[in-house]
Short mmCIF file of all heavy atoms in Angstrom, two decimals:
data_model
loop_
_atom_site.label_atom_id
_atom_site.label_comp_id
_atom_site.label_asym_id
_atom_site.label_seq_id
_atom_site.Cartn_x
_atom_site.Cartn_y
_atom_site.Cartn_z
N PRO A 197 -14.29 -34.15 -7.23
CA PRO A 197 -15.19 -33.12 -7.67
C PRO A 197 -16.62 -33.29 -7.03
O PRO A 197 -17.17 -32.28 -6.68
CB PRO A 197 -15.28 -33.24 -9.17
CG PRO A 197 -13.90 -33.80 -9.58
CD PRO A 197 -13.57 -34.79 -8.47
N ASP A 198 -17.05 -34.52 -6.86
CA ASP A 198 -18.45 -34.68 -6.26
C ASP A 198 -18.37 -35.12 -4.85
O ASP A 198 -19.44 -35.37 -4.15
CB ASP A 198 -19.23 -35.71 -7.05
CG ASP A 198 -19.64 -35.19 -8.44
OD1 ASP A 198 -19.72 -33.97 -8.45
OD2 ASP A 198 -19.88 -35.98 -9.33
N GLY A 200 -16.79 -33.72 -1.34
CA GLY A 200 -16.01 -32.76 -0.55
C GLY A 200 -16.25 -33.08 0.91
O GLY A 200 -15.67 -34.05 1.48
N SER A 201 -17.19 -32.33 1.46
CA SER A 201 -17.59 -32.60 2.86
C SER A 201 -18.06 -34.05 3.01
O SER A 201 -17.78 -34.73 4.05
CB SER A 201 -18.62 -31.63 3.35
OG SER A 201 -18.11 -30.40 3.44
N ASP A 202 -18.73 -34.56 2.02
CA ASP A 202 -19.26 -35.94 2.03
C ASP A 202 -18.24 -36.83 1.35
O ASP A 202 -18.42 -37.44 0.35
CB ASP A 202 -20.57 -36.04 1.25
CG ASP A 202 -21.26 -37.42 1.37
OD1 ASP A 202 -20.75 -38.14 2.26
OD2 ASP A 202 -22.24 -37.59 0.71
N TRP A 225 -8.20 -30.71 -5.52
CA TRP A 225 -7.64 -29.88 -4.42
C TRP A 225 -6.38 -30.52 -3.75
O TRP A 225 -6.21 -30.43 -2.54
CB TRP A 225 -8.67 -29.67 -3.38
CG TRP A 225 -10.09 -29.43 -3.91
CD1 TRP A 225 -11.24 -30.03 -3.50
CD2 TRP A 225 -10.51 -28.58 -4.95
NE1 TRP A 225 -12.31 -29.57 -4.16
CE2 TRP A 225 -11.90 -28.60 -5.14
CE3 TRP A 225 -9.80 -27.58 -5.73
CZ2 TRP A 225 -12.65 -27.91 -6.04
CZ3 TRP A 225 -10.52 -26.83 -6.65
CH2 TRP A 225 -11.91 -26.96 -6.81
N VAL A 269 -5.18 -22.90 -10.48
CA VAL A 269 -4.72 -21.68 -9.89
C VAL A 269 -5.79 -21.24 -8.87
O VAL A 269 -7.07 -21.38 -9.13
CB VAL A 269 -4.57 -20.54 -11.01
CG1 VAL A 269 -4.21 -19.16 -10.34
CG2 VAL A 269 -3.51 -20.94 -11.99
N ASN A 270 -5.41 -20.77 -7.67
CA ASN A 270 -6.35 -20.35 -6.68
C ASN A 270 -6.67 -18.86 -6.81
O ASN A 270 -6.04 -18.13 -7.56
CB ASN A 270 -5.90 -20.77 -5.32
CG ASN A 270 -4.71 -20.01 -4.86
OD1 ASN A 270 -4.64 -18.81 -4.85
ND2 ASN A 270 -3.69 -20.76 -4.30
N MET A 271 -7.61 -18.36 -6.06
CA MET A 271 -8.09 -17.03 -6.21
C MET A 271 -7.10 -15.96 -5.77
O MET A 271 -7.34 -14.80 -5.96
CB MET A 271 -9.42 -16.78 -5.51
CG MET A 271 -9.37 -16.82 -4.03
SD MET A 271 -11.13 -16.82 -3.31
CE MET A 271 -11.16 -15.08 -2.80
N ASP A 335 2.23 5.48 9.71
CA ASP A 335 0.86 5.98 9.72
C ASP A 335 0.41 6.38 11.02
O ASP A 335 -0.41 5.68 11.70
CB ASP A 335 -0.08 4.89 9.12
CG ASP A 335 -1.37 5.35 8.59
OD1 ASP A 335 -1.70 6.60 8.91
OD2 ASP A 335 -2.06 4.67 7.85
N VAL A 337 -1.70 8.67 11.71
CA VAL A 337 -3.15 8.92 11.70
C VAL A 337 -3.84 7.60 12.09
O VAL A 337 -4.75 7.64 13.03
CB VAL A 337 -3.56 9.40 10.35
CG1 VAL A 337 -5.15 9.44 10.30
CG2 VAL A 337 -3.06 10.81 10.08
N GLU A 395 -8.48 -9.16 7.12
CA GLU A 395 -9.53 -8.27 6.79
C GLU A 395 -9.31 -6.89 7.42
O GLU A 395 -9.43 -5.82 6.83
CB GLU A 395 -10.89 -8.92 7.25
CG GLU A 395 -12.08 -8.15 6.71
CD GLU A 395 -12.33 -8.25 5.24
OE1 GLU A 395 -11.48 -8.88 4.50
OE2 GLU A 395 -13.35 -7.62 4.73
N MET A 403 -7.17 2.47 0.88
CA MET A 403 -6.74 2.35 -0.51
C MET A 403 -5.40 1.69 -0.72
O MET A 403 -5.15 0.99 -1.71
CB MET A 403 -6.73 3.79 -1.22
CG MET A 403 -8.10 4.46 -1.35
SD MET A 403 -9.30 3.51 -2.21
CE MET A 403 -8.66 3.46 -3.84
N ARG A 404 -4.53 1.84 0.24
CA ARG A 404 -3.21 1.18 0.21
C ARG A 404 -3.36 -0.32 0.17
O ARG A 404 -2.54 -1.04 -0.39
CB ARG A 404 -2.33 1.62 1.25
CG ARG A 404 -1.80 3.03 1.06
CD ARG A 404 -1.30 3.62 2.41
NE ARG A 404 -2.47 3.75 3.34
CZ ARG A 404 -2.37 3.85 4.66
NH1 ARG A 404 -1.18 3.79 5.25
NH2 ARG A 404 -3.36 3.92 5.37
N ILE A 406 -5.62 -2.09 -1.44
CA ILE A 406 -6.13 -2.71 -2.62
C ILE A 406 -4.95 -3.02 -3.66
O ILE A 406 -5.30 -3.65 -4.68
CB ILE A 406 -7.29 -1.99 -3.32
CG1 ILE A 406 -6.79 -0.73 -4.07
CG2 ILE A 406 -8.28 -1.53 -2.23
CD1 ILE A 406 -7.84 -0.01 -4.90
N GLU A 407 -3.79 -2.63 -3.35
CA GLU A 407 -2.77 -2.81 -4.34
C GLU A 407 -2.19 -4.24 -4.25
O GLU A 407 -1.98 -4.82 -3.17
CB GLU A 407 -1.56 -1.83 -4.05
CG GLU A 407 -1.97 -0.39 -4.52
CD GLU A 407 -0.73 0.58 -4.54
OE1 GLU A 407 0.08 0.47 -5.44
OE2 GLU A 407 -0.75 1.34 -3.53
N GLU A 408 -1.98 -4.84 -5.41
CA GLU A 408 -1.41 -6.12 -5.50
C GLU A 408 0.07 -6.23 -5.41
O GLU A 408 0.73 -5.27 -5.63
CB GLU A 408 -1.76 -6.74 -6.94
CG GLU A 408 -3.19 -6.89 -7.23
CD GLU A 408 -3.61 -8.34 -7.02
OE1 GLU A 408 -2.96 -8.99 -6.22
OE2 GLU A 408 -4.65 -8.75 -7.56
N SER A 411 2.56 -4.11 -7.67
CA SER A 411 2.13 -2.66 -7.95
C SER A 411 3.26 -1.79 -7.35
O SER A 411 3.64 -1.96 -6.24
CB SER A 411 0.84 -2.30 -7.21
OG SER A 411 0.32 -1.14 -7.51
N PRO A 412 3.72 -0.80 -8.21
CA PRO A 412 4.93 -0.02 -7.80
C PRO A 412 4.68 0.73 -6.47
O PRO A 412 3.76 1.51 -6.44
CB PRO A 412 5.18 0.84 -8.98
CG PRO A 412 3.94 0.83 -9.86
CD PRO A 412 3.32 -0.52 -9.57
N GLY A 413 5.49 0.42 -5.46
CA GLY A 413 5.34 1.17 -4.22
C GLY A 413 4.21 0.69 -3.30
O GLY A 413 3.85 1.43 -2.39
N ARG A 424 -5.06 -12.31 2.28
CA ARG A 424 -6.51 -12.34 2.60
C ARG A 424 -7.24 -13.24 1.60
O ARG A 424 -8.15 -13.97 1.98
CB ARG A 424 -7.06 -10.92 2.48
CG ARG A 424 -8.60 -10.83 2.77
CD ARG A 424 -8.88 -11.27 4.17
NE ARG A 424 -10.27 -11.41 4.42
CZ ARG A 424 -10.97 -12.59 4.32
NH1 ARG A 424 -10.37 -13.63 3.93
NH2 ARG A 424 -12.28 -12.62 4.72
N PHE A 426 -5.85 -15.72 -0.09
CA PHE A 426 -5.46 -17.09 0.14
C PHE A 426 -6.18 -17.70 1.30
O PHE A 426 -6.55 -18.88 1.35
CB PHE A 426 -3.92 -17.22 0.27
CG PHE A 426 -3.43 -18.59 0.50
CD1 PHE A 426 -3.38 -19.53 -0.49
CD2 PHE A 426 -3.05 -19.02 1.79
CE1 PHE A 426 -3.07 -20.80 -0.33
CE2 PHE A 426 -2.69 -20.38 1.99
CZ PHE A 426 -2.67 -21.22 0.93
N VAL A 428 -9.09 -17.44 2.51
CA VAL A 428 -10.45 -17.84 2.20
C VAL A 428 -10.49 -19.32 2.40
O VAL A 428 -11.44 -19.90 2.94
CB VAL A 428 -10.86 -17.37 0.87
CG1 VAL A 428 -12.13 -18.21 0.41
CG2 VAL A 428 -11.13 -15.92 0.72
N THR A 431 -11.17 -21.66 6.12
CA THR A 431 -12.42 -22.10 6.70
C THR A 431 -13.08 -23.15 5.90
O THR A 431 -14.17 -23.61 6.25
CB THR A 431 -13.32 -20.84 6.92
OG1 THR A 431 -13.45 -20.15 5.64
CG2 THR A 431 -12.83 -19.91 7.99
N GLU A 438 -18.24 -25.34 8.94
CA GLU A 438 -19.61 -25.77 9.26
C GLU A 438 -19.51 -27.21 9.82
O GLU A 438 -20.16 -27.51 10.91
CB GLU A 438 -20.50 -25.88 7.99
CG GLU A 438 -20.98 -24.50 7.52
CD GLU A 438 -19.95 -23.60 6.97
OE1 GLU A 438 -18.83 -24.10 6.51
OE2 GLU A 438 -20.16 -22.36 6.88
N ARG B 361 -0.65 9.82 -1.28
CA ARG B 361 0.00 8.57 -0.77
C ARG B 361 -0.84 7.75 0.20
O ARG B 361 -0.88 6.49 0.11
CB ARG B 361 1.34 8.87 -0.18
CG ARG B 361 2.28 7.70 -0.09
CD ARG B 361 2.89 7.40 -1.51
NE ARG B 361 3.71 6.23 -1.56
CZ ARG B 361 3.33 4.95 -1.52
NH1 ARG B 361 2.08 4.61 -1.32
NH2 ARG B 361 4.19 3.97 -1.56
N SER B 362 -1.46 8.40 1.15
CA SER B 362 -2.19 7.71 2.25
C SER B 362 -3.49 7.11 1.68
O SER B 362 -4.03 6.24 2.30
CB SER B 362 -2.50 8.66 3.42
OG SER B 362 -3.57 9.49 3.08
N GLY B 363 -3.98 7.68 0.58
CA GLY B 363 -5.19 7.19 0.05
C GLY B 363 -6.42 7.55 0.87
O GLY B 363 -7.57 6.96 0.70
N ARG B 364 -6.27 8.43 1.78
CA ARG B 364 -7.37 8.79 2.66
C ARG B 364 -7.98 10.13 2.35
O ARG B 364 -7.37 11.13 2.01
CB ARG B 364 -6.90 8.91 4.12
CG ARG B 364 -7.05 7.62 4.92
CD ARG B 364 -6.74 7.83 6.36
NE ARG B 364 -5.43 8.25 6.68
CZ ARG B 364 -4.51 7.55 7.11
NH1 ARG B 364 -4.70 6.22 7.47
NH2 ARG B 364 -3.34 7.96 7.38
N ARG B 388 -2.40 9.62 -6.17
CA ARG B 388 -2.39 8.09 -6.25
C ARG B 388 -3.84 7.63 -6.24
O ARG B 388 -4.74 8.38 -5.83
CB ARG B 388 -1.63 7.59 -5.04
CG ARG B 388 -1.00 6.21 -5.26
CD ARG B 388 -0.06 5.80 -4.09
NE ARG B 388 0.37 4.36 -4.38
CZ ARG B 388 1.51 4.02 -4.97
NH1 ARG B 388 2.22 4.97 -5.51
NH2 ARG B 388 1.78 2.72 -5.16
N TYR B 389 -3.93 6.42 -6.65
CA TYR B 389 -5.31 5.79 -6.68
C TYR B 389 -6.28 6.55 -7.58
O TYR B 389 -7.45 6.79 -7.28
CB TYR B 389 -5.89 5.58 -5.34
CG TYR B 389 -4.96 4.88 -4.42
CD1 TYR B 389 -4.32 5.75 -3.34
CD2 TYR B 389 -4.42 3.68 -4.58
CE1 TYR B 389 -3.42 5.14 -2.48
CE2 TYR B 389 -3.52 3.07 -3.77
CZ TYR B 389 -2.90 3.82 -2.83
OH TYR B 389 -1.94 3.26 -1.97
N GLN B 426 1.05 3.15 -14.01
CA GLN B 426 0.01 2.17 -13.80
C GLN B 426 0.15 1.49 -12.48
O GLN B 426 1.27 1.03 -12.14
CB GLN B 426 -0.06 1.18 -14.98
CG GLN B 426 -1.04 0.16 -14.80
CD GLN B 426 -2.27 0.27 -15.81
OE1 GLN B 426 -3.16 0.98 -15.53
NE2 GLN B 426 -2.06 -0.33 -16.99
N LEU B 427 -0.92 1.40 -11.67
CA LEU B 427 -0.85 0.61 -10.46
C LEU B 427 -1.55 -0.77 -10.77
O LEU B 427 -2.22 -0.84 -11.74
CB LEU B 427 -1.55 1.26 -9.29
CG LEU B 427 -1.11 2.68 -8.91
CD1 LEU B 427 -1.94 3.32 -7.85
CD2 LEU B 427 0.39 2.51 -8.34
N LYS B 428 -1.27 -1.72 -9.88
CA LYS B 428 -1.98 -3.03 -10.07
C LYS B 428 -2.88 -3.22 -8.81
O LYS B 428 -2.33 -3.30 -7.69
CB LYS B 428 -0.91 -4.07 -10.10
CG LYS B 428 -1.32 -5.37 -10.75
CD LYS B 428 -0.08 -6.21 -11.16
CE LYS B 428 -0.52 -7.44 -11.89
NZ LYS B 428 -1.07 -8.51 -11.03
N VAL B 429 -4.18 -3.20 -9.08
CA VAL B 429 -5.07 -3.26 -7.95
C VAL B 429 -5.93 -4.53 -7.93
O VAL B 429 -6.08 -5.18 -8.99
CB VAL B 429 -6.00 -2.07 -7.80
CG1 VAL B 429 -5.16 -0.78 -7.78
CG2 VAL B 429 -7.02 -2.07 -8.94
N ALA B 430 -6.56 -4.86 -6.84
CA ALA B 430 -7.27 -6.16 -6.62
C ALA B 430 -8.27 -6.45 -7.77
O ALA B 430 -8.45 -7.57 -8.12
CB ALA B 430 -7.88 -6.09 -5.32
N ARG B 494 -25.52 -28.05 -5.94
CA ARG B 494 -24.44 -28.83 -5.38
C ARG B 494 -25.04 -29.85 -4.29
O ARG B 494 -25.71 -29.37 -3.36
CB ARG B 494 -23.46 -27.89 -4.63
CG ARG B 494 -22.35 -28.65 -3.80
CD ARG B 494 -21.35 -29.42 -4.65
NE ARG B 494 -20.23 -29.89 -3.91
CZ ARG B 494 -19.33 -30.71 -4.37
NH1 ARG B 494 -19.37 -31.12 -5.65
NH2 ARG B 494 -18.34 -31.17 -3.63
N GLN B 496 -24.40 -32.87 -1.49
CA GLN B 496 -23.54 -33.61 -0.65
C GLN B 496 -24.48 -34.35 0.40
O GLN B 496 -25.47 -33.73 0.75
CB GLN B 496 -22.50 -32.79 0.11
CG GLN B 496 -21.37 -32.18 -0.76
CD GLN B 496 -20.38 -33.26 -1.25
OE1 GLN B 496 -19.40 -33.58 -0.60
NE2 GLN B 496 -20.61 -33.84 -2.38
N PHE B 497 -24.04 -35.45 0.83
CA PHE B 497 -24.93 -36.20 1.79
C PHE B 497 -26.30 -36.50 1.26
O PHE B 497 -27.28 -36.55 2.03
CB PHE B 497 -24.97 -35.48 3.16
CG PHE B 497 -23.63 -35.15 3.74
CD1 PHE B 497 -23.09 -33.90 3.74
CD2 PHE B 497 -22.85 -36.16 4.37
CE1 PHE B 497 -21.88 -33.57 4.31
CE2 PHE B 497 -21.62 -35.94 4.95
CZ PHE B 497 -21.12 -34.59 4.90
N ARG B 510 -27.49 -18.27 6.41
CA ARG B 510 -26.41 -17.42 5.93
C ARG B 510 -26.87 -16.62 4.63
O ARG B 510 -26.70 -15.41 4.51
CB ARG B 510 -25.20 -18.23 5.56
CG ARG B 510 -23.90 -17.42 5.54
CD ARG B 510 -22.79 -18.24 4.95
NE ARG B 510 -22.14 -19.13 5.99
CZ ARG B 510 -21.04 -18.86 6.64
NH1 ARG B 510 -20.48 -17.75 6.51
NH2 ARG B 510 -20.53 -19.75 7.43
N TRP B 558 -17.51 -12.76 1.22
CA TRP B 558 -16.78 -13.82 1.91
C TRP B 558 -17.73 -14.96 2.32
O TRP B 558 -17.40 -16.07 2.21
CB TRP B 558 -16.19 -13.25 3.16
CG TRP B 558 -15.16 -12.21 3.02
CD1 TRP B 558 -15.16 -10.93 3.64
CD2 TRP B 558 -14.01 -12.16 2.13
NE1 TRP B 558 -14.05 -10.25 3.20
CE2 TRP B 558 -13.36 -10.92 2.29
CE3 TRP B 558 -13.52 -13.11 1.24
CZ2 TRP B 558 -12.19 -10.58 1.51
CZ3 TRP B 558 -12.37 -12.75 0.46
CH2 TRP B 558 -11.75 -11.55 0.65
N HIS B 561 -18.15 -17.09 -0.71
CA HIS B 561 -17.03 -18.02 -0.85
C HIS B 561 -17.18 -19.21 0.04
O HIS B 561 -16.91 -20.35 -0.39
CB HIS B 561 -15.69 -17.32 -0.49
CG HIS B 561 -15.24 -16.40 -1.69
ND1 HIS B 561 -14.69 -16.97 -2.87
CD2 HIS B 561 -15.21 -15.13 -1.86
CE1 HIS B 561 -14.34 -16.05 -3.70
NE2 HIS B 561 -14.67 -14.88 -3.12
N GLN B 562 -17.64 -19.03 1.31
CA GLN B 562 -17.78 -20.09 2.21
C GLN B 562 -18.84 -21.03 1.66
O GLN B 562 -18.59 -22.27 1.76
CB GLN B 562 -18.15 -19.53 3.60
CG GLN B 562 -18.16 -20.52 4.68
CD GLN B 562 -16.80 -21.12 5.00
OE1 GLN B 562 -15.76 -20.65 4.57
NE2 GLN B 562 -16.83 -22.31 5.67
N ALA B 566 -14.59 -25.23 -2.08
CA ALA B 566 -13.33 -25.10 -2.71
C ALA B 566 -13.47 -24.59 -4.12
O ALA B 566 -12.54 -23.91 -4.64
CB ALA B 566 -12.66 -26.48 -2.74
N PHE B 569 -12.90 -21.02 -4.57
CA PHE B 569 -11.60 -20.61 -4.18
C PHE B 569 -10.68 -20.64 -5.42
O PHE B 569 -9.52 -20.28 -5.36
CB PHE B 569 -11.03 -21.51 -3.06
CG PHE B 569 -9.65 -21.18 -2.62
CD1 PHE B 569 -9.37 -19.93 -2.05
CD2 PHE B 569 -8.67 -22.14 -2.72
CE1 PHE B 569 -8.13 -19.64 -1.58
CE2 PHE B 569 -7.37 -21.76 -2.24
CZ PHE B 569 -7.08 -20.48 -1.70
N THR B 570 -11.17 -20.99 -6.55
CA THR B 570 -10.33 -21.06 -7.78
C THR B 570 -10.33 -19.78 -8.55
O THR B 570 -11.28 -18.94 -8.50
CB THR B 570 -10.86 -22.19 -8.76
OG1 THR B 570 -12.07 -21.83 -9.23
CG2 THR B 570 -10.93 -23.53 -8.01
N TRP B 571 -9.31 -19.49 -9.27
CA TRP B 571 -9.13 -18.37 -10.21
C TRP B 571 -10.18 -18.38 -11.27
O TRP B 571 -10.77 -17.40 -11.67
CB TRP B 571 -7.74 -18.37 -10.77
CG TRP B 571 -7.52 -17.11 -11.56
CD1 TRP B 571 -7.54 -16.90 -12.84
CD2 TRP B 571 -7.01 -15.86 -11.02
NE1 TRP B 571 -7.20 -15.73 -13.26
CE2 TRP B 571 -6.84 -14.94 -12.11
CE3 TRP B 571 -6.73 -15.43 -9.73
CZ2 TRP B 571 -6.48 -13.61 -11.91
CZ3 TRP B 571 -6.28 -14.04 -9.58
CH2 TRP B 571 -6.16 -13.23 -10.71
N ARG B 580 -13.09 -9.11 -5.57
CA ARG B 580 -11.99 -8.15 -5.79
C ARG B 580 -12.58 -6.77 -6.13
O ARG B 580 -11.97 -5.76 -5.69
CB ARG B 580 -11.18 -8.74 -6.99
CG ARG B 580 -10.26 -9.86 -6.62
CD ARG B 580 -9.65 -10.57 -7.84
NE ARG B 580 -8.68 -11.52 -7.38
CZ ARG B 580 -7.43 -11.14 -7.11
NH1 ARG B 580 -7.01 -9.90 -7.09
NH2 ARG B 580 -6.43 -12.06 -6.65
N ARG B 586 -14.35 -0.58 -1.64
CA ARG B 586 -14.69 -0.43 -0.24
C ARG B 586 -14.19 0.87 0.35
O ARG B 586 -14.94 1.64 1.07
CB ARG B 586 -14.19 -1.56 0.60
CG ARG B 586 -14.24 -1.29 2.11
CD ARG B 586 -14.02 -2.54 2.97
NE ARG B 586 -12.88 -3.34 2.66
CZ ARG B 586 -12.62 -4.47 3.33
NH1 ARG B 586 -13.42 -4.96 4.18
NH2 ARG B 586 -11.54 -5.15 3.03
N GLU B 588 -12.97 3.49 -1.52
CA GLU B 588 -12.94 4.61 -2.41
C GLU B 588 -13.97 5.69 -2.11
O GLU B 588 -15.07 5.31 -1.68
CB GLU B 588 -13.26 4.05 -3.89
CG GLU B 588 -12.02 3.73 -4.61
CD GLU B 588 -12.30 3.71 -6.14
OE1 GLU B 588 -13.15 2.92 -6.58
OE2 GLU B 588 -11.70 4.61 -6.75
#
Side-chain angles (χ1 to χ4, degrees):
Chain A
D198 288 336
S201 291
D202 187 10
W225 320 129
V269 178
N270 66 51
M271 68 188 258
D335 198 344
V337 171
E395 188 71 358
M403 292 307 289
R404 287 160 295 158
I406 75 170
E407 289 190 75
E408 293 264 23
S411 188
R424 179 65 189 92
F426 181 74
V428 163
T431 50
E438 282 73 20
Chain B
R361 201 72 182 77
S362 75
R364 268 193 292 259
R388 206 171 174 90
Y389 312 111
Q426 176 108 274
L427 300 176
K428 201 163 184 284
V429 305
R494 173 71 174 173
Q496 288 289 270
F497 304 104
R510 200 191 279 264
W558 299 130
H561 280 287
Q562 188 64 17
F569 181 61
T570 65
W571 187 264
R580 285 169 170 280
R586 169 164 54 183
E588 270 204 292

